[in-house]
Amino acid sequence: MVPQAWYLIVSALLFGLGIVGFVTRRNSLVMFMSVELMLNAANLVFVAGARDHFPARGTACALFVIAVAAAEVAVGLAMVLALFRLKKSVQADDVRELRA
Amino acid sequence: MLSERTAFLVFSAIALIGAANVVTRKNPVHAALWLVGSFLGVAGLFLTLGAGLLGAIQVMVYAGAIMVLFLFVILLLNLDVTEGDGLSFARGASFLAAIATLALVALPFAQSRELRAAATPDHAAPDASAGNVADLLFTRYALPFEVVSLLLLIAMVGAIHLARRPRRDESV
Amino acid sequence: MTMLATLLTATPLVATSLAATPLGGALLAATPPSDATAPLWLTLIKVFTVFGITMTLVPMLVLAERRVSAWMQYRVGPNRVGPGGSLQPLADLVKMLFKEELRPDGVPPFIFTAAPAIAAICALSMMAVVPFGGTLEVGGRSIPMVVADTDIGVLVVLALSSIGVYGITLGGWASNSKYSLLGGLRSSAQMISYELSLGISLLGVLVVSGNFESGSFRLSDVIEYQATTGIWNALRLPLGFVLFTIAAFAETNRLPFDLPEAEPELVGGYHTEYSSMRFGLFFLGEYAAMVAGSSVIVCLFLGGWHCPWLTTEVTVGWTGALLQMSVFLAKVLAFLFFFIHVRWTLPRLRYDQLMTLGWKWMLPLSLLNLLWAGAHAALGWF
């Protein structure tokens, strides 16, 4: 059996890469993808943590996360489309109007 | 067949290499494809954890639906353009944040003796088969289940409203 | 050039056997109650049997399509190569191998080549979870007649069919041509829309066959239930059967849903820029998807290997196994004939009609079907 700590390390790395992507990339689509990476890392922790004592609960929680991620993507992509219609760009830096 | 450890190493390598490429590729289509690879790697990790159901759902929902939607939007907007470099401050900060997260999460666990030792699995616990998960969803997690369904409904309404082309006489 | 082409032909063969074996192996290892102890050689025999039969069916199907369409349109069809035109697929293959391998300018080489391979491999790997018989009892060993006897069988089918979209979408994108791009876009929208009805009408089958009580998604359990009760699911869920079949037509990009390659408007759709064996792989993928789709429909709704008064026992010896396999094959062939028949009968849908059908009709109806299935299971009808 692979120790759970290994899964946690992989998950931490995935989450870290997600943060790096979210902060460095300016393309809103890629930023969304980075959020998905972070959600995936969370799922991995749920399942790995639940492996030994209540495996079914880990899967159930991960299912909730996937459902929320699907909802987030639906709204997020609709926003990106609306943004593109308005600005002809999906760069996050091009949307600064609210800034004084 | 594959030993569990080999499978773990292979799948986590796929997941991590995929993730690293998502962050570094300039072309959004390539980033999306690497993300699909990363998701497949994570699905493999779920398999090694004995959660085959979740692995299949991960492939179906993430790789099969969500990423196809991403790809659809990228192709629709025809976004082949490369983007400018990110801000150097943000870049530095992000690496710091990433390393901090890593340290925060990994260090205490790597130090704890209980987790490093091979844990003793509780064989009496219900395994992650579809029947057991469904039981949980409709009993213990009934409330979150309802909340999530409501959230999906709201998201659907919101997405349709946002993506609707505004009528001529309407201001944006 | 020809060497490269030969190499490309060999790719799906090698890749699929490779893909099916470790995929099945990993799944088996991950799901303990299955035959994780089955020796490798047994798995390999099964892989090559299934793969061989599928790969034989594909050229037969191509020929059948041309002959049947000719018959329906009062023509003769290809009848020069071999007796009755039976060697025509071979001639087509040779032609494809020797054609020039074209690659347009400014095309990402890896994705352009990978796209047709993805389409073909996904379609072929689907056959790994399709049971072609019950359990073979021979020499004190009971062998389930399916390559990967895994808990999540049906989900694997859905997962692979949703991964298969990438082949077409990426092929369209990587070709660097507006017609291809439009074809790819249409295909991804179509697949997402019809996957919903496909999945939901499939849930109905699982509810009715009591799969949720046992907690398994095995196709063989669905067939066993139909065999032991003697009633096929198509009778229990007529609506679900129709919906699933329509959705399967959409997933395989067959007429009336072949908008991704609509010749009159899009030249050739996603494969406009493909030639030679790369095109051949797309072609192979489409027909393999048809074979896999019909097999899954036969398993879910038409009783799989079950035939009243002939093959009713789950556990059988050699003769019984051969009988079961022939029954299964006969049903699949009959359904493939239906596939071809529909293609040459119906006109193509318009894009907005496609979306209206998918979202406003199929989706609510598949929910209705699920409700019907629930009532069926709860009230304990036949």
Side-chain angles (χ1 to χ4, degrees):
Chain A
M1 265 218 168
V2 181
Q4 279 164 326
W6 293 17
Y7 285 100
L8 292 180
I9 290 169
V10 172
S11 163
L13 285 169
L14 275 180
F15 197 89
L17 284 166
I19 292 187
V20 170
F22 189 74
V23 181
T24 53
R25 301 300 297 267
R26 299 287 85 199
N27 184 325
S28 50
L29 282 163
V30 181
M31 286 166 76
F32 263 122
M33 292 182 205
S34 308
V35 174
E36 299 304 317
L37 270 182
M38 289 191 262
L39 290 172
N40 242 279
N43 271 350
L44 195 55
V45 175
F46 271 129
V47 180
R51 181 187 66 182
D52 290 335
H53 296 290
F54 8 71
R57 286 194 208 171
T59 298
C61 290
L63 282 181
F64 289 134
V65 176
I66 290 182
V68 172
E72 176 233 329
V73 166
V75 178
L77 288 180
M79 279 169 67
V80 170
L81 278 178
L83 182 68
F84 187 81
R85 214 177 276 150
L86 209 63
K87 299 270 182 189
K88 296 281 165 271
S89 151
V90 293
Q91 301 294 313
D93 284 342
D94 291 341
V95 200
R96 302 185 143 170
E97 251 80 305
L98 283 180
R99 207 181 264 180
Chain B
M1 291 286 161
L2 295 168
S3 87
E4 202 191 325
R5 189 159 294 200
T6 328
F8 168 80
L9 290 176
V10 171
F11 287 135
S12 33
I14 295 173
L16 289 174
I17 293 172
N21 277 296
V22 173
V23 177
T24 48
R25 292 294 118 178
K26 296 268 182 217
N27 190 329
V29 174
H30 293 172
L33 290 181
W34 280 108
L35 190 56
V36 174
S38 178
F39 285 158
L40 293 181
V42 175
L45 285 177
F46 287 152
L47 280 184
T48 65
L49 283 163
L53 173 69
L54 191 62
I57 290 179
Q58 162 103 354
V59 176
M60 267 162 58
V61 177
Y62 263 123
I66 294 185
M67 289 320 292
V68 174
L69 208 58
F70 261 106
L71 216 55
F72 180 75
V73 170
I74 297 174
L75 297 189
L76 193 67
L77 304 182
N78 213 357
L79 293 177
D80 267 349
V81 284
T82 52
E83 53 181 302
D85 283 349
L87 300 170
S88 59
F89 167 73
R91 186 157 289 185
S94 77
F95 276 114
L96 275 181
I99 290 163
T101 323
L102 205 92
L104 266 174
V105 178
L107 278 184
F109 283 114
Q111 278 172 350
S112 92
R113 202 158 285 165
E114 291 87 352
L115 265 176
R116 257 192 310 181
T120 47
D122 182 1
H123 290 295
D127 63 351
S129 69
N132 291 333
V133 174
D135 276 344
L136 272 179
L137 285 183
F138 289 112
T139 53
R140 188 185 179 88
Y141 295 129
L143 183 66
F145 184 79
E146 293 302 322
V147 173
V148 165
S149 12
L150 203 62
L151 179 75
L152 279 173
L153 179 67
I154 296 170
M156 195 163 71
V157 174
I160 291 171
H161 178 74
L162 277 171
R164 199 174 52 104
R165 200 177 288 278
R167 280 197 296 272
R168 290 261 166 79
D169 52 342
E170 221 175 329
S171 62
V172 181
Chain C
M1 262 315 150
T2 34
M3 222 179 91
L4 183 70
T6 326
L7 199 73
L8 274 172
T9 4
T11 317
L13 187 120
V14 176
T16 320
S17 359
L18 284 183
T21 321
L23 185 78
L27 291 172
L28 289 174
T31 47
S34 56
D35 69 335
T37 49
L40 185 63
W41 58 267
L42 202 58
T43 314
L44 280 179
I45 289 178
K46 287 196 235 174
V47 166
F48 282 108
T49 314
V50 172
F51 188 64
I53 290 177
T54 316
M55 289 300 268
T56 324
L57 273 179
V58 168
M60 278 167 61
L61 207 55
V62 176
L63 179 66
E65 175 121 69
R66 299 177 66 175
R67 294 291 292 196
V68 170
S69 68
W71 167 69
M72 289 178 68
Q73 297 165 342
Y74 209 66
R75 294 185 284 119
V76 179
N79 66 342
R80 295 303 167 91
V81 195
S86 56
L87 294 179
Q88 184 66 38
L90 203 67
D92 286 347
L93 179 73
V94 171
K95 178 192 76 176
M96 242 173 233
L97 279 173
F98 284 97
K99 271 197 167 179
E100 191 186 348
E101 196 98 40
L102 288 174
R103 202 170 70 206
D105 255 357
V107 153
F110 180 73
I111 297 180
F112 187 73
T113 313
I118 293 175
I121 289 174
C122 285
L124 285 169
S125 310
M126 240 183 265
M127 293 302 289
V129 290
V130 174
F132 46 91
T135 311
L136 175 62
E137 197 83 63
V138 65
R141 191 196 284 278
S142 56
I143 306 162
M145 285 196 276
V146 48
V147 175
D149 183 32
T150 156
D151 243 4
I152 50 174
V154 182
L155 296 182
V156 171
V157 172
L158 284 183
L160 282 172
S161 89
S162 51
I163 294 289
V165 191
Y166 284 104
I168 294 174
T169 310
L170 287 178
W173 174 74
S175 295
N176 214 4
S177 136
K178 60 185 168 193
Y179 298 119
S180 302
L181 185 66
L182 280 172
L185 266 174
R186 281 182 182 187
S187 131
S188 53
Q190 176 179 327
M191 295 279 193
I192 293 179
S193 310
Y194 282 80
E195 223 159 61
L196 284 172
S197 337
L198 191 83
I200 295 175
S201 46
L202 188 130
L203 275 184
V205 177
L206 297 179
V207 169
V208 164
S209 332
N211 276 60
F212 284 118
E213 273 134 60
S214 61
S216 94
F217 291 95
R218 274 202 185 81
L219 278 167
S220 45
D221 287 359
V222 178
I223 300 174
E224 255 170 55
Y225 181 76
Q226 297 176 78
T228 47
T229 53
I231 300 169
W232 295 352
N233 280 338
L235 290 175
R236 293 194 179 94
L237 302 168
L239 181 62
F241 176 49
V242 174
L243 288 173
F244 193 90
T245 308
I246 296 177
F249 273 86
E251 292 287 307
T252 45
N253 289 320
R254 293 283 295 185
L255 219 72
F257 301 107
D258 73 335
L259 283 94
E261 48 179 298
E263 298 92 353
E265 340 158 17
L266 295 183
V267 191
Y270 61 90
H271 57 57
T272 306
E273 305 292 343
Y274 280 88
S275 66
S276 179
M277 214 44 217
R278 288 206 186 98
F279 169 74
L281 275 183
F282 268 133
F283 208 61
L284 170 74
E286 184 184 326
Y287 282 90
M290 263 169 75
V291 175
S294 333
S295 314
V296 171
I297 291 175
V298 166
C299 287
L300 287 175
F301 292 99
L302 300 176
W305 44 260
H306 170 250
C307 172
W309 305 292
L310 189 62
T311 50
T312 48
E313 293 296 313
V314 178
T315 312
V316 286
W318 276 115
T319 28
L322 282 178
L323 220 54
Q324 283 182 341
M325 280 161 78
S326 338
V327 168
F328 182 68
L329 199 63
K331 284 184 191 175
V332 171
L333 287 177
F335 208 85
L336 284 171
F337 179 72
F338 175 65
F339 251 95
I340 295 173
H341 210 285
V342 168
R343 168 164 179 189
W344 297 99
T345 309
L346 295 179
R348 181 181 300 123
L349 289 175
R350 221 168 47 212
Y351 188 72
D352 60 316
Q353 291 170 334
L354 175 90
M355 286 296 151
T356 310
L357 178 70
W359 290 98
K360 294 187 185 162
W361 290 99
M362 301 269 296
L363 192 57
L365 281 177
S366 57
L367 287 172
L368 189 71
N369 173 60
L370 186 58
L371 215 61
W372 168 266
H376 201 291
L379 302 177
W381 298 339
F382 50 93

